[in-house]
């Protein structure tokens, strides 16, 4: 008789809400094993009994071949005594105890569910909530762990006999799929006017007809409400922009399928990463070069030659896209500056003509993720749906649980414990009560969901950031301030699982420096625990302080004054366009005080943008820099010469060169390209000097300016030419959306260093 063994197996990672228990059940049955599998607060636990070879095969399958949406971080195995019990069962989840389970992100509709959605013979034909263990809502509907139906917003929908049969059938792909439902037992779609009157007929067909006639439609999706209009209808897009109070920031466009994307954007010769990003289970908004004359209204993305495109990711989006038959704008349903509206009562404030909605509650608001493709690799710009709250595994442990509160703009927070950091979804800018409430509510939800009670709270050094004030208001935790640009570089290090030291290049708009000035063009010698400022861009005043951020022409005045001294610049367009206000700012620069001093790369981009007539004022963060990149001629490869005095980059050399070319009548597109390449070369020269002086072989790049792929590519190539290995962001954004991860990483590193020092003493 074969020897029988029994093993107790613990699986940790993203293993709940991804069909892991049905997967284990299937493997166990195929190998003739008996035992049980269940969820608990830490993940999945299995007890399995059978011949040693079969038990080993199950353990190998768990480790090497889990379900597609699962991420297995750790598998621990403990031998126990056989019981002789027969059969293998999925048993009731164990509640209570520690909560270390990782929550699965929401996933786009899988091919099997999509086939059912459009199959007239299927009982879920055109049902907008079709899902299975391989797709559908997860994070947005979870209220607690373990992940069971009772711990989701589907708890109010009792399964019908047919759905429960699928749910209980080990051979069905809906086996233990918690959101399983059908038209007979699940959520219901309705269409109503802004006044609440129900619109008769098929909701999807009537909604598509409204879009086709120029209406603004609110659509309740996975993580909140969106606003939609026909993407080709200029009048409708302009109306949407006015109602949303959104100046010039681009809208995203949902295309029905990949063929439609090709009509909108240039995918000729596109690398495989583009298609993978568009069609994968995360379905982010992908920023792509748009085709000249593509059928999209000018107001969709003014001043931008890229287009943010995404494919349908819920059954409802698929139905609406097919019914309309052409691309439609799909933008976050919110008022400018507020988080996406995910509660029905908040959605009523949206200025829509009609509402396509349903009765499945959304527990957690979640915006769409945004990515760029840099050299065939996804680079996150906004990390949200499809990514959050997937934890970031790190090669070091956090001695104490940490809450990192991030920055002010592009807000995220991070909770870290063990060897994992959980970065929240993008929340928005902490500039109003609604976003601050979403921030505080999000922290409380994550603390409950993941069972993390922080002992350290990390904040930015800027005393006026609302995230800083929130951190300092908490009781019973140790506060820790981390300099903004050190957090940027630490974020890049953590993103890559490295601890440094590196030469860190942090280019962004605003960060409070340790000397009381505003930094933003920094060369740091840094590791996770500490840093030294080794170089920077030449500092200039910010006339009017924060007003200069909203009015880039003021930065043009500051750079002109620094480059040329007091003088007449009446021949420059930026002066003529702002002649009524220019003398006052010029006098301020001569007589002072001219406002805070900054080394910001973002403010340098602002100045050049204004000089070239691209943007004198902005309506959203980074607009002047974004549009300057868009103007750059991709065929121009030469750059302006820039002096690097030691490791201080003389940005006034760039300003003199820009003004010289302007006065010679050079095209703005050529000047913009030469500016980019000149700045990149100077940054590379300074960074190479810092690396050589400190014996460093690795550079880490971070900060929102590196969302500019023209600058990024030139800097990466230059650093590699100098023999440096270059670290870039891959899992969190390089902008302030990644700051919270860096803050947490710094706190953990300092705790580990303190433990080592204590052990030595």
């Amino acid at each position: 008789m074969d020897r029988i063994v029994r093993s107790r197996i613990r699986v940790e990672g993203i293993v709940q809400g991804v069909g892991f228990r049905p997967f284990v059940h299937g493997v166990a049955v195929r190998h003739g094993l008996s035992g049980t599998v269940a969820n608990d607060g830490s993940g999945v636990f299995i007890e399995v009994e059978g011949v040693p070879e079969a038990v080993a095969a199950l353990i190998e399958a768990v480790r090497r071949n889990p379900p597609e949406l699962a991420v297995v971080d750790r598998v621990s195995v403990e031998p126990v005594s056989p019981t002789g019990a027969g059969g293998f069962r999925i048993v009731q989840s164990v509640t209570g105890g520690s909560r270390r389970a990782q929550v699965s992100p929401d996933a786009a509709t899988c091919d099997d569910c999509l086939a059912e959605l459009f199959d007239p013979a299927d009982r879920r034909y055109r049902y907008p909530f079709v899902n299975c263990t391989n797709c559908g809502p997860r994070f947005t509907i979870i209220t607690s762990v373990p992940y069971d139906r009772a711990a989701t917003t589907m708890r109010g929908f009792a399964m019908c006999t047919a759905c429960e049969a699928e749910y209980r059938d080990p051979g069905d792909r809906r086996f233990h799929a918690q959101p399983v439902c059908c038209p007979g037992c699940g959520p219901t779609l309705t269409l109503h006017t802004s006044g609440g009157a129900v619109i008769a007929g098929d909701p999807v067909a009537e909604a598509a007809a409204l879009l086709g006639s120029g209406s603004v439609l609110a659509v309740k999706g996975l993580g909140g409400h969106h606003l939609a209009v026909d993407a080709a209808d200029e009048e409708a897009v302009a109306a949407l922009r006015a109602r949303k109070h959104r100046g010039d920031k681009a809208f995203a466009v949902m295309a029905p399928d990949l063929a439609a994307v090709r009509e909108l954007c240039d995918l000729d010769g596109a690398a495989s990463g583009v298609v993978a990003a568009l069609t994968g289970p995360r379905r982010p908004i992908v920023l792509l070069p748009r085709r000249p004359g593509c059928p999209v209204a000018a107001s969709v993305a003014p001043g931008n030659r890229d287009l943010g495109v995404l494919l349908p990711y819920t059954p409802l989006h698929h139905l609406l896209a097919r019914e309309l038959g052409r691309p439609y704008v799909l933008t976050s349903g919110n008022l400018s500056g507020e988080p996406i509206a995910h509660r029905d009562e908040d959605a009523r404030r949206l200025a829509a003509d009609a509402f396509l909605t349903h009765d499945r509650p959304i527990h957690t608001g979640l915006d769409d993720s945004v990515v760029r493709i840099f050299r065939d690799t996804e680079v996150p710009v906004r990390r949200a749906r499809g990514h959050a709250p997937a934890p970031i595994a790190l090669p070091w442990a956090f001695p104490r649980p940490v809450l990192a509160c991030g920055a002010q703009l592009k807000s995220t927070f991070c909770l870290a414990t063990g060897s994992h950091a959980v970065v929240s979804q993008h929340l928005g800018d902490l500039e109003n009560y609604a976003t601050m409430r979403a921030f505080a509510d999000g922290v409380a939800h994550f603390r409950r969901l993941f069972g993390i009670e922080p002992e350290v709270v990390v904040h930015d050094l800027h005393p006026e950031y609302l995230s800083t004030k929130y951190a300092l208001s908490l009781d019973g935790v140790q506060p820790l301030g981390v300099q903004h640009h050190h957090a940027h570089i630490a974020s890049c290090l953590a993103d890559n699982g490295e601890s440094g030291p590196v030469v860190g290049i942090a280019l962004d708009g605003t960060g409070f420096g340790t000397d009381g000035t505003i930094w933003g063009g920094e060369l740091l010698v840094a590791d996770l625990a500490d840093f030294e400022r080794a170089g920077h861009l030449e500092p200039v005043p910010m006339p009017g302080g924060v007003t200069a951020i909203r009015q880039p022409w003021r930065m043009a005045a500051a750079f002109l004054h620094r480059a040329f001294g007091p003088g007449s610049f009446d021949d420059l367009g930026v002066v003529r366009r702002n002649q009524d206000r220019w003398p006052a700012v010029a006098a301020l620069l001569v007589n002072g005080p001219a406002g805070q001093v900054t080394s910001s790369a973002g403010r340098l981009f602002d100045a050049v943008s204004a000089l070239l007539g691209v943007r004198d004022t902005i309506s959203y963060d980074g607009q002047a820099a974004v549009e300057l990149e868009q103007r750059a001629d991709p065929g121009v490869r030469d750059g302006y010469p820039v002096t690097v005095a030691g490791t201080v980059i003389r940005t006034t050399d760039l300003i003199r060169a820009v003004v010289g070319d302007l006065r010679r009548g050079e095209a703005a597109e050529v000047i913009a390209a030469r500016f980019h390449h000149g700045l990149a070369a100077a940054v590379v020269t300074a960074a190479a000097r810092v690396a050589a002086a400190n014996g460093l072989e690795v550079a880490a790049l971070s900060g929102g300016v590196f969302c500019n792929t023209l600058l990024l590519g030139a800097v990466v190539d230059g650093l590699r030419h100098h023999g440096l290995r270059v670290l870039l962001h891959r899992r969190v954004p390089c902008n302030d959306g990644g700051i919270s991860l860096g803050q947490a990483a710094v706190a953990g590193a300092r705790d580990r260093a303190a433990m080592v020092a204590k052990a030595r003493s």
Side-chain angles (χ1 to χ4, degrees):
M1 181 178 179
D2 290 334
R3 184 168 65 93
I4 299 298
V5 297
R6 188 177 183 91
S7 292
R8 181 174 294 146
I9 305 163
R10 157 75 54 199
V11 189
E12 296 178 63
I14 301 178
V15 292
Q16 294 189 15
V18 293
F20 207 93
R21 290 174 297 173
F23 159 75
V24 171
H25 182 280
V27 174
V29 170
R30 283 198 305 274
H31 287 279
L33 296 167
S34 62
T36 60
V37 60
N39 285 341
D40 67 5
S42 298
V44 169
F45 71 90
I46 308 163
E47 285 211 10
V48 61
E49 185 171 318
V51 298
E53 296 79 10
V55 172
L58 183 140
I59 295 170
E60 180 70 9
V62 164
R63 283 184 169 138
R64 306 296 180 194
N65 191 34
E68 182 180 358
L69 298 180
V71 177
V72 174
D73 289 334
R74 184 168 62 178
V75 178
S76 54
V77 181
E78 174 191 1
V80 293
S81 299
T83 66
F88 195 92
R89 297 174 296 123
I90 295 178
V91 297
Q92 185 173 354
S93 297
V94 177
T95 58
S98 64
R99 292 187 178 186
R100 299 195 307 273
Q102 298 169 14
V103 177
S104 170
D106 302 78
T109 307
C110 70
D111 289 343
D112 288 333
C113 285
L114 196 59
E116 291 176 344
L117 182 67
F118 292 110
D119 180 2
D122 194 276
R123 72 188 187 93
R124 292 186 175 90
Y125 175 57
R126 292 180 61 84
Y127 182 56
F129 306 99
V130 56
N131 68 84
C132 68
T133 55
N134 301 317
C135 67
R138 299 292 190 272
F139 174 51
T140 51
I141 65 170
I142 289 173
T143 60
S144 184
V145 293
Y147 176 64
D148 284 310
R149 194 179 183 97
T152 74
T153 61
M154 286 296 296
R155 62 182 174 271
F157 299 93
M159 284 183 281
C160 66
T161 303
C163 285
E164 186 160 8
E166 294 170 330
Y167 183 85
R168 303 293 180 192
D169 181 1
D172 196 287
R173 77 175 196 282
R174 293 189 171 91
F175 186 41
H176 278 255
Q178 304 309 329
V180 64
C181 58
C182 73
C185 65
T188 301
L189 190 68
T190 58
L191 179 68
H192 61 78
T193 66
S194 58
V198 174
I199 298 174
D202 177 76
V204 173
E206 295 301 324
L210 286 170
L211 287 177
S213 64
S215 294
V216 176
L217 180 70
V219 181
K220 185 177 180 181
L222 266 181
H225 296 75
H226 289 83
L227 291 171
V229 293
D230 185 339
D233 188 332
E234 177 63 43
E235 186 175 343
V237 176
L240 171 59
R241 197 169 285 283
R243 295 186 196 184
K244 195 177 174 182
H245 306 297
R246 185 163 177 165
D248 301 298
K249 195 172 184 180
F251 290 136
V253 174
M254 178 164 278
D257 50 35
L258 198 57
V261 175
R262 294 184 186 279
E263 292 182 6
L264 299 175
C265 299
D266 184 8
L267 298 187
D268 294 340
S272 59
V274 174
V275 175
L278 285 167
T279 60
R282 294 189 175 113
R283 295 289 170 100
I285 298 168
V286 184
L287 302 178
L288 297 169
R290 61 173 162 178
R291 290 186 180 277
C294 74
V296 167
S299 293
V300 169
N304 200 319
R305 62 189 178 203
D306 285 348
L307 201 60
V309 183
L310 74 165
L311 292 177
Y313 56 87
T314 72
L316 178 56
H317 293 126
H318 279 284
L319 289 167
L320 194 56
R322 182 167 293 194
E323 193 74 37
L324 183 64
R326 56 185 181 275
Y328 56 95
V329 165
L330 194 74
T331 187
S332 303
N334 60 347
L335 296 179
S336 182
E338 293 188 3
I340 188 169
H342 70 281
R343 298 182 180 91
D344 292 341
E345 57 269 26
D346 293 333
R348 297 190 189 105
R349 299 169 55 218
L350 300 177
D353 298 312
F355 291 75
L356 185 61
T357 187
H358 57 79
D359 55 350
R360 182 179 68 202
I362 299 170
H363 187 73
T364 301
L366 191 64
D367 228 319
D368 295 319
S369 292
V370 181
V371 304
R372 281 187 181 275
I373 306 298
F374 178 70
R375 297 181 179 176
D376 206 26
T377 301
E378 278 190 47
V379 177
V381 176
R382 184 171 75 192
R383 185 178 183 271
R385 178 187 50 77
H387 292 270
I392 295 172
L394 299 170
W396 334 278
F398 288 87
R400 293 184 291 173
V402 174
L403 166 64
C405 294
Q408 180 86 343
L409 303 180
K410 301 173 178 63
S411 172
T412 64
F413 59 84
C414 176
L415 281 164
T417 190
S419 59
H420 289 90
V422 183
V423 179
S424 77
Q425 71 275 26
H426 165 86
L427 296 169
D429 298 343
L430 298 181
E431 296 179 328
N432 57 52
Y433 170 75
T435 311
M436 195 62 226
R437 184 187 69 179
F439 178 91
D441 289 349
V443 170
H445 179 51
F446 272 54
R447 286 172 67 167
R448 290 192 303 269
L449 193 62
F450 298 103
I452 299 174
E453 288 301 321
E455 298 177 24
V456 182
V457 60
V458 195
H459 60 84
D460 193 273
L461 295 183
H462 201 301
E464 295 304 313
Y465 280 2
L466 294 182
S467 56
T468 299
K469 293 180 178 181
Y470 172 85
L472 295 177
S473 73
L474 299 179
D475 295 325
V477 291
Q478 178 184 331
L480 173 66
V482 172
Q483 199 279 325
H484 189 90
H485 299 97
H486 182 210
H488 265 307
I489 300 306
S491 175
C492 186
L493 286 169
D495 201 340
N496 288 275
E498 301 202 15
S499 57
V502 297
V503 51
I505 306 173
L507 304 182
D508 68 356
T510 301
F512 201 77
T514 56
D515 60 358
T517 67
I518 300 298
W519 293 3
E522 309 307 311
L523 299 176
L524 309 180
V525 174
D527 57 19
L528 287 177
D530 211 348
F531 79 98
E532 174 188 347
R533 192 188 195 197
H536 53 83
L537 301 188
E538 181 180 8
V540 298
M542 290 175 63
V546 294
T547 303
I549 299 174
R550 297 189 296 270
Q551 299 177 7
W553 69 268
R554 290 174 175 263
M555 291 310 305
F559 274 98
L560 288 171
H561 182 268
R562 180 56 59 89
F564 297 101
S568 174
F569 305 102
D570 292 345
D571 61 318
L572 299 179
V574 67
V575 179
R576 295 194 300 272
R577 292 190 303 273
N578 300 280
Q579 57 185 342
D580 57 331
R581 298 173 290 178
W582 193 273
V585 170
L588 192 65
L589 289 164
V590 172
N591 301 317
Q596 208 153 18
V597 172
T598 183
S599 58
S600 165
R603 303 292 78 79
L604 172 64
F605 272 83
D606 288 350
V608 175
S609 183
L611 283 169
L612 297 187
V614 175
R615 180 61 56 180
D616 283 352
T617 61
I618 64 170
S619 62
Y620 65 88
D621 179 54
Q623 181 180 8
V626 168
E627 294 185 6
L628 182 64
E629 178 191 5
Q630 298 295 323
R631 290 292 290 275
D633 185 337
V636 173
R637 300 300 177 89
D638 61 306
Y640 297 124
V642 181
T643 301
V644 181
T647 53
V648 176
I649 298 169
R650 292 280 177 80
T651 49
T652 47
D653 288 353
L654 288 166
I655 299 301
R656 293 188 190 98
V658 166
V659 171
D661 265 357
L662 272 174
R663 286 172 167 163
R664 285 187 288 271
E666 188 62 84
E669 291 75 10
V670 173
I671 298 173
R674 288 174 176 168
F675 163 74
H676 276 82
H677 290 293
L679 176 61
V683 167
V684 167
T685 298
R689 288 180 185 176
V690 171
N694 292 276
L696 302 173
E697 299 178 346
V698 183
L701 277 53
S702 193
V705 170
F706 280 121
C707 289
N708 180 323
T709 53
L710 174 58
L711 183 76
L712 177 65
V715 171
V716 167
D717 290 343
L719 292 171
R720 288 174 176 167
H721 179 75
H722 281 272
L724 292 168
R725 184 165 60 89
V726 182
L727 303 180
L728 304 176
H729 284 270
R730 290 289 181 263
R731 296 185 287 182
V732 297
C734 65
N735 58 39
D736 282 7
I739 281 278
S740 62
L741 174 63
Q743 291 173 336
V746 171
R750 290 183 182 175
D751 266 0
R752 291 191 296 274
M755 290 175 61
V756 171
K758 183 177 181 180
R760 289 174 176 170
S761 63

